[in-house]
Amino acid sequence: MILGGGPGGYEAALVAAQLGAQVTVVDSDGLGGACVLTDCVPSKTLIATSTTMSVVHGAEDLGIRIGPPPGGGSPGGGSPGGGAVSGRAYAASAGRAGRGLARVDAPRLYARVKALAKAQSADVELRLSAEGVEIINDRGALAGPGTVIAGGQRIQAGAVLIATGAMPRVLPGAEPDGERILNWRQIYDLPDLPTELIVVGSGVTGAEFASAYQALGSQVTLVSSRERVMPHEDADAAVVVEDVFRRRGMTVLGRSRAAAVKRTRDGVVVTLEGGRTVRGSHCLLTVGMEPATRGLGLEEAGVTLDSQGFVEVDRVSRTTARGVYAAGDCTGVMMLASVAGMQGRIAMWHTLGEAVQPIRLDHVAATIFTDPEIATVGVTADAVESGAEDAVAVKLPLVTNARAKMQGFRDGFVKLFARRGTGIVLGGVVVAPRASELILGVSLAVEQSLTVDQMAHTFAVYPSLSGSLTEAARRLMRPAGDRR
Ligand SMILES: Cc1cc2nc3c(=O)[nH]c(=O)nc-3n(C[C@H](O)[C@H](O)[C@H](O)COP(=O)(O)OP(=O)(O)OC[C@H]3O[C@@H](n4cnc5c(N)ncnc54)[C@H](O)[C@@H]3O)c2cc1C
């Protein structure tokens, strides 16, 4: 029995069905979970459009003239995009190409986002059904360690997986109204792009939405409670992205904690701690998640929750109740779809008696889909700099990479960490467009314990951004005494 049909739940269901188990998934809001319907998939679809806008804004530098041919038509006139907002904020810093000539059709964009999420959810449902998984569309709960109540039935199970996910945290005094004060699940219901968007919270989600809306054409203010944006990420990477944000006209308010958000007649006012106020047309709240673990009968069944309500699990996804496993955001263990899926699969392999390796969180590859993207895997720069990891590091800016020059970008770098002495690759950071695709090379090296010598002997295409990764590996081949 699996409670929750997000990646934690459906990936587990597929593995269990493959191994011949009789599997039932209980889901209250749609297969694919929040990941597919409201969080990961919709946001990355929105970002596909905002990234394209960035390319359009930079097109003139690459020798492309956007607009009517000389002597014909009127610039930007007659666009079929009814209700669209022009990219004026971005255009202020993006050259002539952006001025009203490339415009976002928000209703069409949001319709695309929602349709794509729905289609993806339908694909997940189809796949589960094809594998013989029974689906119950209902809210389920435990009635003891091996008993689930769902769809009006009391169902006994040899094993139960809790994968109920998490919900946006609500800041008291800043409750979303779905119109002007929003969480990220409500933003796709807006009739248009916000003209002046205040994003409260500069973690991964806040940074991604701030980056996307700036490129789409909103004037964005990012309210960050810390000194810099994305305080938990690689500091060099966060600095590059914050620099790009500011250069493109975003206002970034550091060390500013939002105390309250209220509606005005035609917008919102955000009051910061200390009394300063910021006004905009809309406010997007990205202040974290809380686990969806209430009212499920978990503690009554012997499942221990931590002080914030997350389910406590070990590295093979076992909870403290016999036969009850948990996966995904409800565990609070690295809130990523890939981690949720792996926790779910591990739970099934474990309960069905397969050989299983405990999850390796130090091998998780992750990306922040800002523009440029930040992709990371393995050990962190903090761990290396503090001496917690005995490693050497190299950082190569992309500004000298031939391919980066051709593509017309200069913000970004690759960073590689390797064990001192053995040269085994321990991790890396890539800041670049499509860094999410480039990180796989480093991920493979980390997973397979490859050395910098092996990586340096691997062919990279010329010219390519991945060439900077093999070059970074070459730099670390030098004798230890020379390494910096
Ligand atoms: C804006 C945003 C962008 C993100 N982008 C990325 C990304 O790019 N890459 C990435 O790896 N991760 C991303 N994430 C994180 C990712 O979405 C989550 O880690 C992932 O959704 C976790 O999967 P899950 O299965 O634990 O939960 P969910 O996807 O939340 O699914 C849980 C499901 O359980 C259902 N449910 C809850 N309670 C019950 C109940 N009692 N009975 C039955 N069903 C129930 C819910 O309705 C839901 O359908 C993003 C998150 C956010 C907020």
Side-chain angles (χ1 to χ4, degrees), residues 2-10 26-41 43-44 136 138-141 163-166 184-185 188 204-205 208-209 289 292 294-296 327-331 334-341 343 365 367 369:
I2 297 175
L3 285 192
Y10 77 72
V26 183
D27 190 276
S28 51
D29 295 283
L31 270 299
C35 173
V36 167
L37 287 165
T38 56
D39 295 358
C40 176
V41 169
S43 68
K44 301 304 102 83
I136 299 178
D138 190 18
R139 197 181 141 74
T164 49
W184 61 84
R185 294 181 179 176
Y188 311 106
V204 172
T205 302
E208 286 186 353
F209 277 105
M289 306 280 281
R294 290 211 190 101
L296 295 182
D329 284 3
C330 68
T331 68
M334 285 185 119
M335 292 168 121
L336 290 171
S338 50
V339 173
Q343 284 180 297
T367 293
F369 290 82

Short mmCIF file of all heavy atoms in Angstrom, two decimals, residues 2-10 26-41 43-44 136 138-141 163-166 184-185 188 204-205 208-209 289 292 294-296 327-331 334-341 343 365 367 369, ligand 1:
data_model
loop_
_atom_site.label_atom_id
_atom_site.label_comp_id
_atom_site.label_asym_id
_atom_site.label_seq_id
_atom_site.Cartn_x
_atom_site.Cartn_y
_atom_site.Cartn_z
N ILE A 2 0.62 2.12 -0.94
CA ILE A 2 1.43 3.33 -1.04
C ILE A 2 0.51 4.53 -0.89
O ILE A 2 -0.46 4.67 -1.64
CB ILE A 2 2.18 3.38 -2.39
CG1 ILE A 2 3.16 2.20 -2.48
CG2 ILE A 2 2.90 4.70 -2.57
CD1 ILE A 2 3.89 2.05 -3.80
N LEU A 3 0.80 5.38 0.08
CA LEU A 3 0.01 6.59 0.29
C LEU A 3 0.72 7.75 -0.37
O LEU A 3 1.78 8.18 0.10
CB LEU A 3 -0.15 6.90 1.79
CG LEU A 3 -1.11 6.05 2.62
CD1 LEU A 3 -1.34 6.70 3.98
CD2 LEU A 3 -2.43 5.91 1.89
N GLY A 4 0.17 8.26 -1.47
CA GLY A 4 0.79 9.39 -2.17
C GLY A 4 1.31 8.95 -3.52
O GLY A 4 2.09 7.99 -3.61
N GLY A 5 0.88 9.66 -4.57
CA GLY A 5 1.26 9.25 -5.94
C GLY A 5 2.25 10.18 -6.60
O GLY A 5 2.31 10.27 -7.83
N GLY A 6 3.07 10.89 -5.81
CA GLY A 6 4.16 11.70 -6.37
C GLY A 6 5.34 10.78 -6.69
O GLY A 6 5.21 9.56 -6.64
N PRO A 7 6.52 11.36 -7.01
CA PRO A 7 7.66 10.51 -7.38
C PRO A 7 8.07 9.53 -6.28
O PRO A 7 8.49 8.41 -6.58
CB PRO A 7 8.79 11.51 -7.67
CG PRO A 7 8.27 12.86 -7.33
CD PRO A 7 6.80 12.78 -7.18
N GLY A 8 7.92 9.92 -5.03
CA GLY A 8 8.22 8.98 -3.93
C GLY A 8 7.33 7.76 -4.03
O GLY A 8 7.78 6.62 -3.87
N GLY A 9 6.05 7.99 -4.32
CA GLY A 9 5.08 6.90 -4.37
C GLY A 9 5.08 6.15 -5.69
O GLY A 9 5.16 4.92 -5.73
N TYR A 10 5.03 6.90 -6.83
CA TYR A 10 4.86 6.16 -8.10
C TYR A 10 6.12 5.44 -8.53
O TYR A 10 6.05 4.37 -9.14
CB TYR A 10 4.25 7.03 -9.20
CG TYR A 10 5.14 8.04 -9.89
CD1 TYR A 10 6.13 7.66 -10.79
CD2 TYR A 10 4.95 9.40 -9.68
CE1 TYR A 10 6.92 8.59 -11.43
CE2 TYR A 10 5.74 10.35 -10.33
CZ TYR A 10 6.73 9.94 -11.20
OH TYR A 10 7.52 10.86 -11.83
N VAL A 26 -2.67 5.03 -3.26
CA VAL A 26 -3.78 5.88 -2.85
C VAL A 26 -3.32 7.32 -3.03
O VAL A 26 -2.29 7.72 -2.47
CB VAL A 26 -4.14 5.65 -1.36
CG1 VAL A 26 -5.34 6.50 -0.97
CG2 VAL A 26 -4.39 4.18 -1.09
N ASP A 27 -4.04 8.10 -3.82
CA ASP A 27 -3.64 9.50 -4.00
C ASP A 27 -4.86 10.41 -4.01
O ASP A 27 -5.86 10.11 -4.67
CB ASP A 27 -2.83 9.69 -5.28
CG ASP A 27 -2.22 11.09 -5.31
OD1 ASP A 27 -2.93 12.03 -5.72
OD2 ASP A 27 -1.07 11.24 -4.89
N SER A 28 -4.73 11.53 -3.31
CA SER A 28 -5.89 12.41 -3.15
C SER A 28 -5.98 13.48 -4.23
O SER A 28 -7.05 14.01 -4.48
CB SER A 28 -5.84 13.06 -1.76
OG SER A 28 -4.58 13.64 -1.54
N ASP A 29 -4.84 13.83 -4.88
CA ASP A 29 -4.88 15.02 -5.74
C ASP A 29 -4.44 14.80 -7.17
O ASP A 29 -4.38 15.76 -7.95
CB ASP A 29 -4.01 16.11 -5.12
CG ASP A 29 -4.57 16.58 -3.82
OD1 ASP A 29 -5.54 17.34 -3.84
OD2 ASP A 29 -4.07 16.13 -2.76
N GLY A 30 -4.08 13.60 -7.54
CA GLY A 30 -3.67 13.36 -8.93
C GLY A 30 -2.31 12.70 -9.00
O GLY A 30 -1.38 13.10 -8.29
N LEU A 31 -2.20 11.69 -9.89
CA LEU A 31 -0.94 10.95 -10.03
C LEU A 31 0.18 11.87 -10.51
O LEU A 31 -0.08 12.77 -11.31
CB LEU A 31 -1.13 9.79 -11.00
CG LEU A 31 -1.58 8.45 -10.39
CD1 LEU A 31 -0.55 7.96 -9.38
CD2 LEU A 31 -2.92 8.52 -9.70
N GLY A 32 1.36 11.61 -10.03
CA GLY A 32 2.49 12.50 -10.31
C GLY A 32 2.72 13.44 -9.14
O GLY A 32 3.79 14.00 -8.98
N GLY A 33 1.68 13.60 -8.34
CA GLY A 33 1.82 14.38 -7.11
C GLY A 33 2.01 15.86 -7.36
O GLY A 33 1.85 16.37 -8.48
N ALA A 34 2.38 16.53 -6.28
CA ALA A 34 2.65 17.96 -6.39
C ALA A 34 3.81 18.18 -7.36
O ALA A 34 3.86 19.19 -8.06
CB ALA A 34 2.99 18.52 -5.01
N CYS A 35 4.72 17.24 -7.41
CA CYS A 35 5.87 17.36 -8.32
C CYS A 35 5.39 17.65 -9.74
O CYS A 35 5.84 18.59 -10.39
CB CYS A 35 6.68 16.07 -8.28
SG CYS A 35 7.98 16.01 -9.49
N VAL A 36 4.46 16.83 -10.21
CA VAL A 36 4.01 16.95 -11.59
C VAL A 36 2.95 18.03 -11.75
O VAL A 36 2.95 18.78 -12.73
CB VAL A 36 3.48 15.58 -12.08
CG1 VAL A 36 2.71 15.72 -13.38
CG2 VAL A 36 4.64 14.60 -12.25
N LEU A 37 2.05 18.15 -10.80
CA LEU A 37 0.87 19.00 -11.01
C LEU A 37 1.08 20.46 -10.61
O LEU A 37 0.47 21.35 -11.20
CB LEU A 37 -0.32 18.40 -10.28
CG LEU A 37 -0.87 17.15 -10.97
CD1 LEU A 37 -1.79 16.37 -10.06
CD2 LEU A 37 -1.58 17.51 -12.27
N THR A 38 1.89 20.72 -9.59
CA THR A 38 1.97 22.11 -9.11
C THR A 38 3.38 22.64 -8.87
O THR A 38 3.56 23.86 -8.76
CB THR A 38 1.20 22.26 -7.76
OG1 THR A 38 1.74 21.30 -6.83
CG2 THR A 38 -0.29 22.03 -7.93
N ASP A 39 4.37 21.77 -8.73
CA ASP A 39 5.67 22.27 -8.27
C ASP A 39 6.75 22.18 -9.35
O ASP A 39 7.01 23.14 -10.06
CB ASP A 39 6.11 21.51 -7.01
CG ASP A 39 5.20 21.78 -5.82
OD1 ASP A 39 4.25 22.58 -5.96
OD2 ASP A 39 5.41 21.18 -4.75
N CYS A 40 7.39 21.02 -9.41
CA CYS A 40 8.57 20.87 -10.27
C CYS A 40 8.23 21.03 -11.76
O CYS A 40 8.82 21.87 -12.45
CB CYS A 40 9.19 19.50 -9.99
SG CYS A 40 10.56 19.12 -11.05
N VAL A 41 7.29 20.25 -12.24
CA VAL A 41 7.00 20.26 -13.69
C VAL A 41 6.46 21.62 -14.15
O VAL A 41 6.96 22.19 -15.13
CB VAL A 41 6.07 19.08 -14.06
CG1 VAL A 41 5.55 19.22 -15.48
CG2 VAL A 41 6.82 17.76 -13.89
N SER A 43 6.90 24.58 -12.83
CA SER A 43 7.92 25.63 -12.74
C SER A 43 8.97 25.47 -13.83
O SER A 43 9.42 26.44 -14.43
CB SER A 43 8.57 25.68 -11.35
OG SER A 43 9.34 24.52 -11.11
N LYS A 44 9.35 24.24 -14.13
CA LYS A 44 10.36 24.04 -15.18
C LYS A 44 9.77 24.32 -16.57
O LYS A 44 10.49 24.70 -17.49
CB LYS A 44 10.95 22.63 -15.12
CG LYS A 44 11.62 22.25 -13.83
CD LYS A 44 12.74 23.14 -13.35
CE LYS A 44 12.39 24.09 -12.24
NZ LYS A 44 12.41 23.62 -10.89
N ILE A 136 -6.33 4.13 -6.13
CA ILE A 136 -7.51 4.60 -5.40
C ILE A 136 -7.40 6.11 -5.29
O ILE A 136 -6.43 6.63 -4.71
CB ILE A 136 -7.61 3.96 -3.99
CG1 ILE A 136 -7.71 2.44 -4.10
CG2 ILE A 136 -8.80 4.54 -3.22
CD1 ILE A 136 -7.76 1.71 -2.77
N ASP A 138 -8.28 8.89 -3.47
CA ASP A 138 -8.86 9.23 -2.16
C ASP A 138 -7.73 9.65 -1.24
O ASP A 138 -6.56 9.45 -1.52
CB ASP A 138 -9.59 8.00 -1.58
CG ASP A 138 -10.43 8.35 -0.35
OD1 ASP A 138 -10.74 9.55 -0.16
OD2 ASP A 138 -10.76 7.42 0.40
N ARG A 139 -8.14 10.23 -0.11
CA ARG A 139 -7.17 10.52 0.94
C ARG A 139 -7.12 9.30 1.84
O ARG A 139 -8.15 8.84 2.34
CB ARG A 139 -7.67 11.74 1.72
CG ARG A 139 -6.64 12.39 2.55
CD ARG A 139 -7.20 13.58 3.31
NE ARG A 139 -6.62 13.60 4.64
CZ ARG A 139 -5.38 13.95 4.91
NH1 ARG A 139 -4.61 14.37 3.93
NH2 ARG A 139 -4.90 13.91 6.12
N GLY A 140 -5.93 8.75 2.02
CA GLY A 140 -5.80 7.55 2.86
C GLY A 140 -5.20 7.88 4.22
O GLY A 140 -4.68 8.97 4.43
N ALA A 141 -5.29 6.92 5.12
CA ALA A 141 -4.67 7.07 6.44
C ALA A 141 -4.34 5.69 6.98
O ALA A 141 -4.86 4.67 6.49
CB ALA A 141 -5.63 7.80 7.38
N ALA A 163 4.20 8.45 1.36
CA ALA A 163 4.86 9.38 0.42
C ALA A 163 3.90 10.53 0.14
O ALA A 163 3.54 10.79 -1.01
CB ALA A 163 5.25 8.64 -0.86
N THR A 164 3.48 11.18 1.21
CA THR A 164 2.41 12.17 1.09
C THR A 164 2.91 13.59 0.82
O THR A 164 2.11 14.52 0.71
CB THR A 164 1.55 12.17 2.38
OG1 THR A 164 2.43 12.22 3.50
CG2 THR A 164 0.69 10.91 2.46
N GLY A 165 4.23 13.77 0.73
CA GLY A 165 4.76 15.05 0.27
C GLY A 165 4.70 16.17 1.30
O GLY A 165 4.70 15.93 2.52
N ALA A 166 4.66 17.39 0.80
CA ALA A 166 4.72 18.57 1.67
C ALA A 166 3.92 19.70 1.02
O ALA A 166 3.58 19.63 -0.16
CB ALA A 166 6.17 18.99 1.86
N TRP A 184 3.44 29.49 -4.96
CA TRP A 184 3.81 29.13 -6.35
C TRP A 184 2.77 28.21 -6.99
O TRP A 184 2.79 28.03 -8.19
CB TRP A 184 5.20 28.49 -6.37
CG TRP A 184 5.27 27.22 -5.56
CD1 TRP A 184 4.92 25.97 -5.97
CD2 TRP A 184 5.69 27.11 -4.21
NE1 TRP A 184 5.10 25.08 -4.95
CE2 TRP A 184 5.57 25.75 -3.86
CE3 TRP A 184 6.17 28.01 -3.25
CZ2 TRP A 184 5.90 25.27 -2.59
CZ3 TRP A 184 6.50 27.53 -1.99
CH2 TRP A 184 6.37 26.19 -1.67
N ARG A 185 1.88 27.64 -6.20
CA ARG A 185 0.87 26.77 -6.81
C ARG A 185 -0.29 27.58 -7.40
O ARG A 185 -1.09 27.06 -8.15
CB ARG A 185 0.34 25.77 -5.77
CG ARG A 185 1.44 24.80 -5.35
CD ARG A 185 0.99 23.77 -4.35
NE ARG A 185 2.11 22.88 -4.04
CZ ARG A 185 2.09 21.91 -3.16
NH1 ARG A 185 0.99 21.68 -2.45
NH2 ARG A 185 3.15 21.16 -2.94
N TYR A 188 -0.07 30.25 -11.58
CA TYR A 188 -0.48 29.93 -12.95
C TYR A 188 -1.95 30.23 -13.22
O TYR A 188 -2.43 30.05 -14.33
CB TYR A 188 -0.17 28.46 -13.26
CG TYR A 188 1.25 28.07 -12.88
CD1 TYR A 188 1.51 27.27 -11.76
CD2 TYR A 188 2.33 28.53 -13.61
CE1 TYR A 188 2.79 26.93 -11.39
CE2 TYR A 188 3.62 28.20 -13.26
CZ TYR A 188 3.85 27.40 -12.14
OH TYR A 188 5.13 27.08 -11.77
N VAL A 204 16.00 28.27 -3.11
CA VAL A 204 16.00 27.77 -4.48
C VAL A 204 14.72 28.19 -5.22
O VAL A 204 14.78 28.73 -6.34
CB VAL A 204 16.14 26.23 -4.47
CG1 VAL A 204 15.94 25.66 -5.87
CG2 VAL A 204 17.49 25.84 -3.91
N THR A 205 13.56 27.96 -4.60
CA THR A 205 12.29 28.25 -5.30
C THR A 205 12.16 29.75 -5.57
O THR A 205 11.80 30.16 -6.68
CB THR A 205 11.10 27.74 -4.46
OG1 THR A 205 11.27 26.34 -4.26
CG2 THR A 205 9.78 27.99 -5.15
N GLU A 208 14.51 30.79 -8.38
CA GLU A 208 14.06 30.32 -9.71
C GLU A 208 12.92 31.20 -10.24
O GLU A 208 12.94 31.62 -11.41
CB GLU A 208 13.60 28.87 -9.63
CG GLU A 208 14.76 27.88 -9.52
CD GLU A 208 14.31 26.42 -9.60
OE1 GLU A 208 13.10 26.15 -9.61
OE2 GLU A 208 15.20 25.55 -9.62
N PHE A 209 11.92 31.48 -9.40
CA PHE A 209 10.79 32.29 -9.87
C PHE A 209 11.22 33.73 -10.14
O PHE A 209 10.75 34.36 -11.10
CB PHE A 209 9.62 32.23 -8.89
CG PHE A 209 8.77 31.01 -9.07
CD1 PHE A 209 8.85 29.95 -8.19
CD2 PHE A 209 7.91 30.90 -10.16
CE1 PHE A 209 8.08 28.81 -8.36
CE2 PHE A 209 7.13 29.77 -10.35
CZ PHE A 209 7.21 28.71 -9.44
N MET A 289 8.56 24.71 3.06
CA MET A 289 7.53 23.67 2.97
C MET A 289 7.29 23.08 4.35
O MET A 289 8.19 23.04 5.18
CB MET A 289 8.01 22.52 2.09
CG MET A 289 8.49 22.88 0.72
SD MET A 289 7.14 23.11 -0.43
CE MET A 289 6.72 21.42 -0.84
N ALA A 292 3.23 16.99 4.82
CA ALA A 292 1.80 16.62 4.83
C ALA A 292 1.67 15.31 5.62
O ALA A 292 1.48 14.24 5.04
CB ALA A 292 1.31 16.45 3.40
N ARG A 294 -0.02 15.32 8.86
CA ARG A 294 -1.04 15.42 9.93
C ARG A 294 -2.27 14.59 9.58
O ARG A 294 -2.65 14.49 8.43
CB ARG A 294 -1.47 16.87 10.12
CG ARG A 294 -0.38 17.69 10.74
CD ARG A 294 -0.93 18.81 11.62
NE ARG A 294 0.18 19.69 11.97
CZ ARG A 294 0.40 20.84 11.36
NH1 ARG A 294 -0.42 21.27 10.44
NH2 ARG A 294 1.44 21.58 11.70
N GLY A 295 -2.89 14.03 10.61
CA GLY A 295 -4.17 13.32 10.43
C GLY A 295 -4.06 12.02 9.66
O GLY A 295 -5.04 11.52 9.12
N LEU A 296 -2.86 11.45 9.60
CA LEU A 296 -2.67 10.20 8.86
C LEU A 296 -2.59 8.99 9.78
O LEU A 296 -2.36 7.87 9.31
CB LEU A 296 -1.37 10.25 8.04
CG LEU A 296 -1.26 11.27 6.90
CD1 LEU A 296 0.07 11.12 6.19
CD2 LEU A 296 -2.39 11.04 5.91
N ALA A 327 9.01 7.92 2.08
CA ALA A 327 9.88 8.45 1.03
C ALA A 327 9.43 9.85 0.65
O ALA A 327 8.25 10.19 0.76
CB ALA A 327 9.80 7.54 -0.21
N GLY A 328 10.38 10.65 0.20
CA GLY A 328 10.05 11.95 -0.39
C GLY A 328 9.98 13.09 0.60
O GLY A 328 10.52 13.02 1.71
N ASP A 329 9.27 14.13 0.18
CA ASP A 329 9.25 15.37 0.94
C ASP A 329 8.71 15.20 2.36
O ASP A 329 9.05 15.98 3.25
CB ASP A 329 8.42 16.43 0.21
CG ASP A 329 9.15 17.03 -0.98
OD1 ASP A 329 10.28 16.60 -1.26
OD2 ASP A 329 8.58 17.94 -1.62
N CYS A 330 7.86 14.20 2.59
CA CYS A 330 7.31 14.03 3.95
C CYS A 330 8.41 13.62 4.92
O CYS A 330 8.22 13.70 6.13
CB CYS A 330 6.15 13.04 3.96
SG CYS A 330 6.62 11.34 3.61
N THR A 331 9.58 13.18 4.39
CA THR A 331 10.70 12.82 5.28
C THR A 331 11.65 14.01 5.50
O THR A 331 12.51 13.95 6.37
CB THR A 331 11.53 11.65 4.70
OG1 THR A 331 12.21 12.11 3.52
CG2 THR A 331 10.66 10.46 4.36
N MET A 334 16.47 16.00 1.83
CA MET A 334 16.72 16.63 0.52
C MET A 334 15.46 16.64 -0.33
O MET A 334 15.14 15.65 -0.97
CB MET A 334 17.84 15.92 -0.23
CG MET A 334 19.19 16.20 0.29
SD MET A 334 20.40 15.41 -0.79
CE MET A 334 21.31 16.79 -1.36
N MET A 335 14.73 17.73 -0.32
CA MET A 335 13.42 17.74 -0.99
C MET A 335 13.57 17.89 -2.50
O MET A 335 13.44 18.98 -3.06
CB MET A 335 12.57 18.84 -0.39
CG MET A 335 12.22 18.50 1.06
SD MET A 335 11.54 19.89 1.89
CE MET A 335 9.96 19.28 2.36
N LEU A 336 13.87 16.76 -3.13
CA LEU A 336 14.04 16.70 -4.59
C LEU A 336 13.28 15.50 -5.12
O LEU A 336 13.22 14.45 -4.47
CB LEU A 336 15.51 16.53 -4.95
CG LEU A 336 16.43 17.71 -4.72
CD1 LEU A 336 17.88 17.28 -4.92
CD2 LEU A 336 16.09 18.85 -5.68
N ALA A 337 12.75 15.65 -6.33
CA ALA A 337 12.00 14.56 -6.94
C ALA A 337 12.90 13.32 -7.09
O ALA A 337 12.47 12.19 -6.86
CB ALA A 337 11.48 15.00 -8.29
N SER A 338 14.16 13.56 -7.49
CA SER A 338 15.07 12.43 -7.72
C SER A 338 15.33 11.68 -6.42
O SER A 338 15.42 10.45 -6.40
CB SER A 338 16.39 12.94 -8.31
OG SER A 338 16.88 14.01 -7.53
N VAL A 339 15.43 12.41 -5.33
CA VAL A 339 15.69 11.76 -4.03
C VAL A 339 14.43 11.02 -3.58
O VAL A 339 14.51 9.89 -3.09
CB VAL A 339 16.13 12.81 -2.98
CG1 VAL A 339 16.24 12.19 -1.59
CG2 VAL A 339 17.47 13.41 -3.39
N ALA A 340 13.26 11.65 -3.78
CA ALA A 340 12.00 10.99 -3.42
C ALA A 340 11.88 9.65 -4.14
O ALA A 340 11.58 8.62 -3.54
CB ALA A 340 10.82 11.90 -3.77
N GLY A 341 12.15 9.69 -5.45
CA GLY A 341 12.04 8.47 -6.26
C GLY A 341 13.00 7.40 -5.76
O GLY A 341 12.63 6.22 -5.64
N GLN A 343 14.36 7.11 -2.75
CA GLN A 343 13.94 6.61 -1.42
C GLN A 343 12.80 5.58 -1.58
O GLN A 343 12.78 4.56 -0.90
CB GLN A 343 13.41 7.76 -0.56
CG GLN A 343 14.49 8.66 0.02
CD GLN A 343 13.83 9.77 0.84
OE1 GLN A 343 13.09 10.59 0.31
NE2 GLN A 343 14.09 9.78 2.13
N ALA A 365 22.90 14.68 -7.38
CA ALA A 365 23.10 15.82 -8.28
C ALA A 365 21.84 16.69 -8.24
O ALA A 365 20.73 16.17 -8.26
CB ALA A 365 23.35 15.33 -9.70
N THR A 367 20.03 20.75 -9.31
CA THR A 367 20.18 21.98 -10.10
C THR A 367 19.22 23.05 -9.62
O THR A 367 18.08 22.75 -9.26
CB THR A 367 19.92 21.70 -11.59
OG1 THR A 367 20.95 20.85 -12.08
CG2 THR A 367 19.92 22.98 -12.43
N PHE A 369 17.36 26.09 -11.25
CA PHE A 369 17.08 26.47 -12.64
C PHE A 369 16.92 27.99 -12.80
O PHE A 369 15.96 28.46 -13.38
CB PHE A 369 15.85 25.72 -13.14
CG PHE A 369 16.08 24.24 -13.34
CD1 PHE A 369 16.02 23.37 -12.26
CD2 PHE A 369 16.39 23.73 -14.58
CE1 PHE A 369 16.24 22.01 -12.42
CE2 PHE A 369 16.62 22.37 -14.76
CZ PHE A 369 16.55 21.51 -13.67
C1 LIG B 1 8.47 25.15 -7.10
C2 LIG B 1 9.19 23.85 -6.95
C3 LIG B 1 10.02 23.40 -7.95
C4 LIG B 1 10.68 22.19 -7.82
N1 LIG B 1 11.54 21.81 -8.81
C5 LIG B 1 12.22 20.65 -8.67
C6 LIG B 1 13.17 20.24 -9.65
O1 LIG B 1 13.39 20.95 -10.63
N2 LIG B 1 13.81 19.07 -9.49
C7 LIG B 1 13.58 18.27 -8.41
O2 LIG B 1 14.20 17.19 -8.29
N3 LIG B 1 12.71 18.62 -7.45
C8 LIG B 1 12.02 19.79 -7.56
N4 LIG B 1 11.15 20.18 -6.59
C9 LIG B 1 10.90 19.27 -5.46
C10 LIG B 1 9.93 18.16 -5.83
O3 LIG B 1 8.74 18.72 -6.38
C11 LIG B 1 9.59 17.34 -4.60
O4 LIG B 1 10.78 16.92 -3.99
C12 LIG B 1 8.73 16.14 -4.97
O5 LIG B 1 7.46 16.57 -5.37
C13 LIG B 1 8.58 15.19 -3.79
O6 LIG B 1 7.82 14.09 -4.18
P1 LIG B 1 6.86 13.33 -3.16
O7 LIG B 1 6.46 12.08 -3.83
O8 LIG B 1 7.50 13.25 -1.85
O9 LIG B 1 5.61 14.29 -2.93
P2 LIG B 1 4.57 15.01 -3.87
O10 LIG B 1 5.08 15.21 -5.24
O11 LIG B 1 4.18 16.20 -3.08
O12 LIG B 1 3.35 14.01 -3.95
C14 LIG B 1 2.61 13.64 -2.82
C15 LIG B 1 1.23 13.21 -3.22
O13 LIG B 1 0.57 12.63 -2.09
C16 LIG B 1 -0.75 13.09 -2.05
N5 LIG B 1 -1.26 12.94 -0.67
C17 LIG B 1 -0.99 13.70 0.40
N6 LIG B 1 -1.62 13.23 1.49
C18 LIG B 1 -2.29 12.13 1.08
C19 LIG B 1 -3.11 11.19 1.74
N7 LIG B 1 -3.36 11.28 3.04
N8 LIG B 1 -3.65 10.20 1.00
C20 LIG B 1 -3.40 10.08 -0.31
N9 LIG B 1 -2.62 10.93 -0.98
C21 LIG B 1 -2.06 11.94 -0.30
C22 LIG B 1 -0.64 14.52 -2.53
O14 LIG B 1 -1.87 15.02 -2.95
C23 LIG B 1 0.35 14.36 -3.67
O15 LIG B 1 -0.34 14.01 -4.86
C24 LIG B 1 10.49 21.39 -6.67
C25 LIG B 1 9.65 21.84 -5.65
C26 LIG B 1 9.01 23.06 -5.78
C27 LIG B 1 8.14 23.54 -4.67
#
